[in-house]
Amino acid sequence: MAGLFITFEGGEGSGKSTQVARLAEALRKLGRTVITTREPGGTTGADMIREMVLGGDAEAFGNDVEAALFAAARADHVDSVIAPALARGADVICDRFHDSTRVYQGRGDNTRYLEALEDAAMGDCRPEMTFILDLPAEEGLRRAAARRESAAADRFEAEASSLHEERRMAFLAIATREPERCHVIDARRPADIVADDVFARVAEHLGLTEA
């Protein structure tokens, strides 16, 4: 039996990594095998692309080239990690996936291009559930700054709050277009409450009850 593929999306500082770990722990307590991973990253080659993009080295080439880099990393990630795990019955929980490429590299005139990259990189390996952790951009940036302490902001965290708010609206637009897959979660609440909300929705989807 194939495992469940779940992704977490949202802006900077929305708590994705925390909620990935919380959900994985809850599912493991029910006896399920769970793999956690992230994008960009998840394999050696994809991690190299992650450093290039977050460091700003790819920014000069423009959105389309950057999207192609993400797609190359995603194809390696799917083939090497995600698809094999799902095939052996493990659940896969990923911190960011294709929706982030749609939001961060999307423009009004490159939708078909991004869809072609998705098809090439993912094939039929697509998330069954996506949690969009939603909170105002300014609050997310404050959380991100507190998390990194004295470390420098990465390329995306350093961008203007107004741009992050536009991305927030883009994530919500995806949820509106794909309500069967996407679940919008109010991430302004404490992490424990957010985790309970997420797990309740997964449990309902799978027909599970808490142990």
Side-chain angles (χ1 to χ4, degrees):
M1 181 181 297
L4 177 63
F5 185 16
I6 300 172
T7 57
F8 280 82
E9 299 283 3
E12 310 304 321
S14 58
K16 296 180 303 300
S17 298
T18 296
Q19 295 306 323
V20 166
R22 295 287 187 91
L23 179 58
E25 180 182 11
L27 290 175
R28 286 174 182 140
K29 286 181 178 178
L30 294 176
R32 299 178 71 89
T33 301
V34 183
I35 304 298
T36 62
T37 187
R38 68 176 185 179
E39 286 209 349
T43 66
T44 300
D47 280 334
M48 292 173 63
I49 292 175
R50 178 187 182 88
E51 294 302 317
M52 181 189 306
V53 172
L54 295 185
D57 294 337
E59 187 174 7
F61 295 104
N63 281 3
D64 286 354
V65 171
E66 198 165 72
L69 288 172
F70 278 124
R74 184 164 299 127
D76 185 30
H77 193 198
V78 167
D79 289 346
S80 300
V81 177
I82 298 175
L86 293 172
R88 63 177 182 264
D91 298 329
V92 175
I93 307 176
C94 190
D95 182 344
R96 295 199 184 280
F97 200 60
H98 70 302
D99 293 311
S100 282
T101 301
R102 293 175 175 182
V103 167
Y104 282 78
Q105 282 74 47
R107 304 187 314 267
D109 62 350
N110 72 345
T111 301
R112 290 185 178 179
Y113 172 74
L114 294 185
E115 289 174 348
L117 289 178
E118 285 183 13
D119 289 341
M122 297 157 54
D124 293 331
C125 188
R126 296 175 183 265
E128 192 170 339
M129 299 185 76
T130 295
F131 291 99
I132 296 175
L133 302 183
D134 178 56
L135 79 168
E138 288 189 2
E139 182 176 348
L141 292 173
R142 283 196 299 270
R143 292 184 184 182
R147 177 190 63 208
R148 68 174 181 269
E149 297 178 338
S150 60
D154 67 30
R155 171 262 178 102
F156 293 113
E157 290 177 352
E159 292 174 327
S161 175
S162 58
L163 180 55
H164 286 283
E165 190 65 22
E166 289 178 12
R167 290 171 179 156
R168 176 193 181 193
M169 295 299 107
F171 277 121
L172 294 176
I174 291 172
T176 298
R177 292 196 301 270
E178 300 185 44
E180 298 84 4
R181 171 174 67 92
C182 297
H183 301 258
V184 177
I185 303 293
D186 183 354
R188 295 172 297 179
R189 301 171 297 170
D192 287 347
I193 295 175
V194 172
D196 288 345
D197 190 357
V198 168
F199 180 70
R201 298 184 191 219
V202 174
E204 180 180 6
H205 180 81
L206 293 178
L208 299 174
T209 57
E210 294 190 40

